Amino acid sequence: MSNLREISRRMASVKSTMQITRTMEMVSTAKIRRALERSEAAAPYKDAIKRILANVSNAGGDTAQQPLLRTHFDEKNVLFILVASDRGLAGGFNISLQREVQSEMEHFRRQGVDCQLITCGRKPTDYFTYRGVEPVMSFTGHSSEPTMDDADRIASYAMDGYVSGRIDRVVLYYQHARNRVDQDLVMEQILPLRAEDLTMPNEPRNPEAVEHVGGKVYSTFTFDPSPSEVLGYLIPAYIRTVIFHALLDSAAAEHGARRRAMQSATDNAQEVITSLSRTYNRVRQGSITTELNEIIGGAAALEDN
């Protein structure tokens, strides 16, 4: 049985670790609110630009003239955009994304399709580099505070490659922050835009608006410049917005995942300390009992003499 000194040393070590995990939990709790606010603030803009894109497309925009809307039927190269984090200690936040993208890349390669990878976060960059997959672009150092500049660079690379024919499909992987606790893995196709992205009806938001417009779904607009030219400006803006929102959403999900992981680690540490305390008391009581028996035995021996 372990002696008292060893048990005390283990308890001190676990208590020190518990202080770290509790501090990290508190930090993530403080950061997740602001991260969620940024993500939620960007969501209406994403929905609005998607709605405008659909309206312009349905108002006469010639989608056949838009190179970013043309489907490449002979797919030879797929670009994966993986948004994860710079730091670990967040449960399965990073590893689930990394394994999902790795599985999809292997699936495409078995079909003879080349794959490119853009990583956002130090963890996915290190993960794939160690396995011999060198990202064409990587962004590290600020996964919890993403910037629009990162989204612009990613979107520019994806769009230039798609227009030139070097890339035939672009897919985006990230964790969506459903709330402060739960996250959902999301796979979103960026290019080519799907038909449903261009057919969202411009439905009024409330009954008063329905009465005001007389039940019409689409209005007639006069475009200057032409709808096709307007569409050419909107599509790149939409793609940049989708990528930037994914970066913001992933940052919020990262803090939520780390908060839950650190809370679980703190609870487990407390259970270990409770168990060690019971063991310590049991060993201490046994030691005291042994000492008492030795004293009683020695006293009895003296009396016999």
Side-chain angles (χ1 to χ4, degrees):
M1 185 175 289
S2 301
N3 58 45
L4 295 176
R5 183 174 297 177
E6 291 176 352
I7 298 175
S8 297
R9 189 183 300 116
R10 288 188 61 192
M11 289 175 63
S13 176
V14 174
K15 287 179 180 179
S16 176
T17 301
M18 188 175 68
Q19 290 178 349
I20 296 173
T21 58
R22 182 181 287 118
T23 301
M24 294 183 66
E25 177 190 348
M26 295 172 62
V27 170
S28 295
T29 301
K31 288 184 176 181
I32 189 174
R33 178 178 178 181
R34 180 173 179 272
L36 278 173
E37 288 175 351
R38 289 188 68 190
S39 177
E40 291 171 357
Y45 182 78
K46 175 185 175 182
D47 295 339
I49 197 170
K50 183 176 182 180
R51 186 175 296 273
I52 294 172
L53 181 67
N55 287 343
V56 175
S57 175
N58 285 274
D62 189 359
T63 57
Q65 295 181 1
Q66 303 300 327
L68 292 175
L69 299 181
R70 297 172 187 163
T71 301
H72 300 180
F73 296 101
D74 185 17
E75 286 189 349
K76 296 181 180 179
N77 199 309
V78 176
L79 173 64
F80 290 85
I81 303 173
L82 172 56
V83 182
S85 71
D86 291 315
R87 301 162 56 205
L89 299 177
F93 179 83
N94 291 304
I95 195 64
S96 59
L97 279 168
Q98 292 162 179
R99 288 176 177 173
E100 180 69 20
V101 172
Q102 184 181 20
S103 175
E104 286 298 311
M105 292 178 69
E106 292 174 352
H107 171 73
F108 277 105
R109 284 169 177 161
R110 286 193 295 268
Q111 297 179 347
V113 178
D114 293 331
C115 298
Q116 297 184 40
L117 177 65
I118 294 178
T119 56
C120 299
R122 184 172 289 108
K123 285 296 181 179
T125 302
D126 294 343
Y127 179 89
F128 282 97
T129 301
Y130 178 77
R131 287 159 177 77
V133 180
E134 193 68 31
V136 294
M137 296 178 70
S138 60
F139 300 86
T140 60
H142 40 80
S143 65
S144 61
E145 294 289 339
T147 63
M148 191 64 189
D149 181 62
D150 293 345
D152 287 340
R153 292 171 61 188
I154 296 171
S156 296
Y157 181 90
M159 290 186 292
D160 291 344
Y162 193 84
V163 172
S164 65
R166 292 183 289 106
I167 298 173
D168 301 308
R169 188 194 299 186
V170 181
V171 288
L172 174 66
Y173 285 82
Y174 65 98
Q175 294 275 18
H176 163 63
R178 193 194 318 164
N179 49 48
R180 297 190 179 194
V181 178
D182 301 315
Q183 301 81 39
D184 298 318
L185 193 153
V186 175
M187 188 283 287
E188 188 170 356
Q189 180 171 305
I190 303 297
L191 290 171
L193 291 178
R194 298 167 297 180
E196 52 265 32
D197 294 328
L198 303 176
T199 56
M200 179 184 291
N202 188 17
E203 298 176 353
R205 300 293 181 88
N206 51 57
E208 290 77 9
V210 172
E211 183 179 353
H212 180 70
V213 301
K216 294 181 180 179
V217 177
Y218 292 102
S219 301
T220 301
F221 296 97
T222 300
F223 287 89
D224 186 20
S226 66
S228 297
E229 192 169 347
V230 174
L231 202 60
Y233 287 105
L234 285 175
I235 295 173
Y238 170 71
I239 293 173
R240 290 187 179 95
T241 302
V242 169
I243 294 175
F244 184 54
H245 183 263
L247 294 175
L248 295 175
D249 202 358
S250 176
E254 175 189 348
H255 292 306
R258 182 169 293 109
R259 174 181 176 274
R260 184 172 61 178
M262 292 300 98
Q263 182 180 20
S264 177
T266 301
D267 294 341
N268 291 339
Q270 186 61 58
E271 291 179 4
V272 171
I273 291 174
T274 301
S275 177
L276 288 174
S277 297
R278 291 171 179 169
T279 302
Y280 180 89
N281 292 332
R282 186 166 56 251
V283 172
R284 183 170 176 271
Q285 290 172 358
S287 176
I288 293 174
T289 301
T290 300
E291 291 177 0
L292 288 174
N293 289 335
E294 291 176 352
I295 293 173
I296 294 172
L302 291 175
E303 291 179 356
D304 292 339
N305 293 333

